[in-house]
Amino acid sequence: MADKLTIIKYPHPTLRHSSKPVKKVDAWLKDAVAQMFELMYEANGIGLAANQVDLPYRLFVLNLSGDPENKEAEQVIINPVLSRPKGNATAEEGCLSFPGVYADVRRPETIHLKAFDLSGKMIDEDLDGLYSRAVQHETDHLDGKLFIDRLGETQLLELKDQLEEFNIEFKHNQESEAIPSPEEIEARLRELEAART
Ligand code: NI
């Protein structure tokens, strides 16, 4: 069984970690994926990346329907590689590591996805609409990139106070040791990487 996972919030350092491809899907990882779906549903999300639960693995979960009962809509995307970006589309995004923060994000409209699912089956398809946007947002997480990195200066200025609150809360949690030291966080990520990447 995996550790008990929780969703980490901005500016936790693991959100800036560049995740390595998974080489081994074991029972531990399957349990972690099951926990990720639970956490995503509790937070009313449609996608959640491993970085967001403090894991250094190149994988994310999706349920674009947002409906926990709709098990057929559940997707586990492992080691995604995106290519052939086309067009431009702007739409509002949020992120479970930034509760309450929303902004219009411009991204390529369509994208090609190559990846594997939890059973090792290859995924090889062209994506558009919400599927395309969600896969791009979650793949960014695996590269240590956040949706706020894609905003313009004016948009960032509008979010400044909200982001500052996240910074203050994080600092407070570090001082009260509710969050481990950067060294401890790093050491744990290295250990998890050694086990499965
Ligand atoms: Ni996100």
Side-chain angles (χ1 to χ4, degrees):
M1 292 283 276
D3 320 347
K4 178 146 175 43
L5 304 176
T6 54
I7 298 178
I8 56 172
K9 286 180 201 162
Y10 173 83
H12 191 292
T14 303
L15 294 173
R16 291 301 186 185
H17 184 83
S18 200
S19 292
K20 298 214 175 72
V22 176
K23 286 200 184 127
K24 196 167 85 183
V25 176
D26 54 12
W28 192 100
L29 199 67
K30 285 180 182 169
D31 178 55
V33 164
Q35 288 191 51
M36 286 171 69
F37 276 113
E38 284 310 308
L39 290 167
M40 181 180 83
Y41 293 136
E42 274 169 30
N44 298 312
I46 59 166
L48 185 66
N51 294 48
Q52 293 180 276
V53 292
D54 206 3
L55 295 179
Y57 302 133
R58 248 186 127 66
L59 73 90
F60 58 84
V61 300
L62 291 179
N63 182 333
L64 298 179
S65 77
D67 175 6
E69 303 299 317
N70 188 355
K71 299 291 173 204
E72 276 184 18
E74 289 187 347
Q75 288 177 279
V76 182
I77 310 284
I78 303 175
N79 300 342
V81 176
L82 304 185
S83 62
R84 302 180 220 158
K86 286 193 190 80
N88 273 297
T90 301
E92 191 178 68
E93 294 186 17
C95 179
L96 298 183
S97 294
F98 295 78
V101 179
Y102 299 92
D104 284 338
V105 184
R106 185 179 151 101
R107 296 184 184 275
E109 192 168 10
T110 64
I111 199 93
H112 188 81
L113 168 68
K114 266 193 178 179
F116 293 92
D117 70 12
L118 204 55
S119 64
K121 207 175 88 195
M122 195 156 112
I123 299 162
D124 188 349
E125 51 185 330
D126 288 311
L127 316 183
D128 60 15
L130 182 62
Y131 190 13
S132 168
R133 179 167 294 275
V135 164
Q136 292 180 65
H137 177 115
E138 301 308 334
T139 303
D140 270 356
H141 273 301
L142 307 181
D143 295 324
K145 196 162 171 132
L146 301 168
F147 79 126
I148 55 166
D149 302 340
R150 296 193 175 273
L151 304 180
E153 264 180 59
T154 317
Q155 287 180 297
L156 278 176
L157 209 59
E158 279 167 18
L159 298 178
K160 199 173 164 240
D161 291 348
Q162 265 185 301
L163 296 180
E164 188 50 27
E165 277 176 42
F166 280 99
N167 280 311
I168 291 166
E169 193 188 336
F170 183 74
K171 218 171 169 188
H172 174 80
N173 284 336
Q174 269 184 320
E175 280 161 5
S176 67
E177 291 174 10
I179 288 176
S181 72
E183 293 75 24
E184 285 170 308
I185 291 171
E186 187 63 28
R188 185 178 154 276
L189 293 181
R190 296 264 170 262
E191 208 176 291
L192 289 167
E193 279 175 350
R196 283 170 206 90
T197 70

